[in-house]
Every structure is written in C-alpha cells, then in structure tokens.
Amino acid sequence: MKIFIDTANIEEIRKTAELGILDGVTTNPSLIAKEGRDLKQVISEICSIVDGPISAEVISLDAEDMVKEAKELSKLHKNVVIKIPICEEGLKAVNILSKEGIKTNVTLIFSAQQALLAAKSGASFVSPFIGRVDDIGNGGLEIVRDISDIFNIYGLETQIIAASIRNPMHVLECAKVGCDVVTVPYKVIMQMIKHPLTDIGIKKFLQDYKKSNKRI
Ligand code: E4P
C-alpha cells in the first residue's frame, strides 16, 4: 500500500520524506489556505521534494473552467494529478482530461456508486473520505471495502486513495481491505511510529547499558 501525506505544509512533507516512506502528496483548497501561500508555488515546491503523484485541486464549478485550471496546474510538473470534486461537471472534466492523458483524482467521494462513475469516466484515482463519514455516525470503511470489491470484480484500473484519515486504526483497516493508497495527515503518521512498549523498551535498554558500563 502506498502512503501519501495529506498536507500542504512543506516542513511536514520534508520531515516525512526523510523517513523514506512517502509515495505522494494530496492537498485540497482548505489545506492550501491554511498555509497562506499561492497554490502554484506550493505545488511546485512539493514536486521538488517528493517524486510521486501530487494532487492539486481545482476550484471552478463548471467543466470548461475545471479543464482550463487543470491544464495550467499540470504544466507545473509531470507528477501533478488534478483533483476534481465528484459532480456532473466534475465527471465531464474528468472525461475530457483522461482522453488528453491528464491524471485525475476524483475527490469528496462518499459512496461506492460515486466511485464507480468516477472510474468509468476515466479517473486515475478516487478519494473516499473515511473520517467525515465516521463523523456523522456511518461507516467510512464500508464504503472503501465496497469500492475495492467493485473495482476488483470489474478489473477497473482506477486506484483508491483512502482519505480523511483520523487515526492509525483507519490506516490499518485500509491496508487490510487492500487499498492502493492511504493519504495520512502528519500527526497520524507520527502516531503510527509510536508505541508505548517501544518507548519503555528503549529506556530500559539504555538504563541496562549504562549500568553495565559503570561496572566495566
Ligand atoms: C483528501 O484528499 C482530503 O484532502 C482530506 O483527506 C480531507 O480530510 P479531512 O476530512 O480531514 O478534511
């Protein structure tokens, strides 16, 4: 399973890239706004750090403008993937872009039916949002499982990026259902590294080593 980071923060991306675990990056307009920087500058900088798919989202609401925006963004770097929300205009744009060889990530997916349509219109990736579904008391992982089953049955090549990840358990469950990619916030990546028994183990090893050094 590939691991992307879900952030537009350069520091977080750099630190995670140094760990050798990073396969790509996803951003969205909220994450870009949080950094208070220009979208194109941020995306170019991310592309210079990570060699993998980098999702940049369009903000237009009609297909023609989405396509225009997508073409501008895809000029930034060969790894740029255009993130487009699932809706009628979005699917039209995905259909046009896929025929022109521009990769797309269809986002804000909350049902397997939406994912199926996005795949059929030529999406390279679909992003089901697990956490936001859990937040309203439904099962986000069920949707990912359904999408995975459907794509397998019909041999659809669209990759699933599990998004809106809130905790390490989400990542584990996504790995178990065979997700292609999981896009994880920096905080959750850090939580995944940690285990209280590891901390206790490191402390104990050091204490024992220091004790024996004193004896020698
Ligand atoms: C997906 O690509 C989105 O950027 C992201 O995962 C949304 O997560 P949120 O629900 O934490 O905003």
Side-chain angles (χ1 to χ4, degrees), residues 28-143:
N28 64 40
S30 304
L31 293 171
I32 295 285
K34 203 169 145 197
E35 298 309 308
R37 297 182 58 199
D38 173 69
L39 167 70
K40 286 184 184 168
Q41 270 183 11
V42 177
I43 296 297
S44 301
E45 203 171 337
I46 295 173
C47 290
S48 72
I49 302 168
V50 181
D51 185 18
I54 312 296
S55 287
E57 189 159 342
V58 298
I59 47 163
S60 301
L61 294 176
D62 65 279
E64 197 183 325
D65 288 336
M66 283 175 177
V67 170
K68 263 191 219 152
E69 257 191 85
K71 286 184 178 171
E72 282 302 309
L73 289 169
S74 60
K75 276 184 209 154
L76 294 175
H77 196 278
K78 64 173 175 43
N79 287 342
V80 171
V81 173
I82 309 301
K83 215 169 170 189
I84 296 187
I86 177 82
C87 55
E88 198 179 335
E89 291 299 305
L91 287 182
K92 266 195 237 171
V94 170
N95 183 32
I96 294 168
L97 293 168
S98 75
K99 285 179 179 145
E100 296 191 22
I102 294 178
K103 289 193 172 153
T104 54
N105 170 3
V106 178
T107 188
L108 288 165
I109 296 277
F110 292 97
S111 74
Q113 295 91 320
Q114 289 178 319
L116 176 61
L117 295 181
K120 286 195 66 86
S121 77
S124 322
F125 301 94
V126 286
S127 289
F129 278 35
I130 297 181
R132 292 194 196 186
V133 174
D134 286 358
D135 289 346
I136 60 160
N138 292 330
L141 269 158
E142 283 311 307
I143 297 168

